Amino acid sequence: VELISVSLNELSAQLAGEYEEDFENRNLELICESENENIIVKADSRISYRILDNLMSNVKKYAMPGTRVYLNLSKTAAGGVLTLRNISQSRLNIPVSELLERFVRADESRSTEGSGLGLSIADNLCSLQGAQLELEINGDLFTARVTFPLA
């Protein structure tokens, strides 16, 4: 782990650009919002990219087509926060506590994509660099929030 100053804005913009075509193919509209001009966090850029890539990949696979996906950046006393929110295409019938376990999928009918490791890997990679991953389910609304220490 090599902790350096990383622009959360630049990292999220890069990922948004890389997923633009995939989201368009799934008829997903990505809405990027930022409360602050530039949020600098202490993170390993390679590891942080992998965390956010896993989260965006889940959105691409499991968000309901024809909906919006919100990527929000904010700065709090706790750190730089990246929040992803989307509506799931399938009913989320699992407690949040189980989502971070290995080989678990939120929808048991999913059989074609993914290994059920993405969220577990993202959580472990957050822990490695002092960041925190929080998940929330409210009906079909899925929220993933990553808080990085400020630089």
Side-chain angles (χ1 to χ4, degrees):
V1 176
E2 184 181 340
L3 298 178
I4 60 170
S5 295
V6 175
S7 168
L8 203 50
N9 303 66
E10 289 177 17
L11 187 61
S12 62
Q14 179 184 356
L15 269 156
E18 290 183 19
Y19 275 88
E20 184 176 7
E21 186 176 331
D22 290 330
F23 279 23
E24 285 177 6
N25 291 340
R26 296 266 344 262
N27 194 22
L28 298 170
E29 180 184 359
L30 181 61
I31 308 291
C32 297
E33 304 170 322
S34 179
E35 296 174 6
N36 300 328
E37 195 167 302
N38 197 13
I39 301 170
I40 306 296
V41 296
K42 184 185 293 185
D44 182 302
S45 58
R46 184 180 48 83
I47 291 173
S48 298
Y49 181 88
R50 175 80 189 273
I51 292 166
L52 302 180
D53 185 46
N54 282 0
L55 295 175
M56 294 287 278
S57 178
N58 275 357
V59 169
K60 177 186 82 170
K61 293 175 191 172
Y62 304 126
M64 179 182 290
T67 60
R68 291 178 197 90
V69 175
Y70 291 90
L71 188 156
N72 179 269
L73 301 177
S74 60
K75 187 176 180 180
T76 68
V81 182
L82 181 142
T83 304
L84 265 174
R85 296 184 321 264
N86 66 276
I87 300 295
S88 177
Q89 70 181 355
S90 300
R91 185 170 167 245
L92 296 171
N93 54 354
I94 187 170
V96 171
S97 60
E98 291 181 27
L99 282 176
L100 294 176
E101 294 178 14
R102 292 182 166 281
F103 307 109
V104 171
R105 295 179 181 173
D107 175 11
E108 294 173 4
S109 68
R110 295 177 185 165
S111 59
T112 58
E113 292 188 66
S115 61
L117 287 170
L119 293 175
S120 177
I121 289 170
D123 187 45
N124 288 333
L125 293 176
C126 280
S127 295
L128 276 177
Q129 59 181 335
Q132 181 180 9
L133 173 62
E134 299 170 86
L135 305 177
E136 183 180 324
I137 296 173
N138 187 352
D140 290 336
L141 177 64
F142 178 79
T143 303
R145 185 174 299 107
V146 182
T147 304
F148 295 93
L150 293 172

